[in-house]
């Protein structure tokens, strides 16, 4: 989601400050290989992506929080 948001902003000339974090507390894992392949098809490189856990410091100065699925809301 982070890479897609950055790409969305870039094609519109908007420099977005974006972060991605999960609610399961999984840290340091790469993106799923299927997702890396799908993202690459539209020019997005996820090869360096690593997961991070959602933490209070990530939420301090945000304008919006977007959830990828209803269980995360």
């Amino acid at each position: 989601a982070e890479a897609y948001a950055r790409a969305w902003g870039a094609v519109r000339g908007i420099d977005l400050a974006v972060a991605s974090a999960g609610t399961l507390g999984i840290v340091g894992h790469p993106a799923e290989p299927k997702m890396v392949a799908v993202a690459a098809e539209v020019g997005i490189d996820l090869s360096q992506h690593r997961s991070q856990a959602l933490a209070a410091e990530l939420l301090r100065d945000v304008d919006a929080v977007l959830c990828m699925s209803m269980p995360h809301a």
Side-chain angles (χ1 to χ4, degrees):
E2 177 181 353
Y4 279 99
R6 286 186 199 286
W8 182 90
V11 298
R12 289 161 178 80
I14 303 168
D15 185 20
L16 297 174
V18 181
S20 176
T23 57
L24 295 177
I26 299 171
V27 177
H29 287 250
E32 290 292 325
K34 288 182 183 179
M35 192 60 218
V36 173
V38 169
E41 290 176 7
V42 294
I44 297 173
D45 181 8
L46 292 180
S47 64
Q48 300 303 309
H49 175 80
R50 296 297 178 267
S51 62
Q52 67 175 333
L54 182 62
E57 59 269 11
L58 291 174
L59 299 173
R60 284 203 175 93
D61 297 314
V62 301
D63 293 319
V65 175
L66 306 176
C67 299
M68 295 300 292
S69 65
M70 287 305 294
H72 296 156

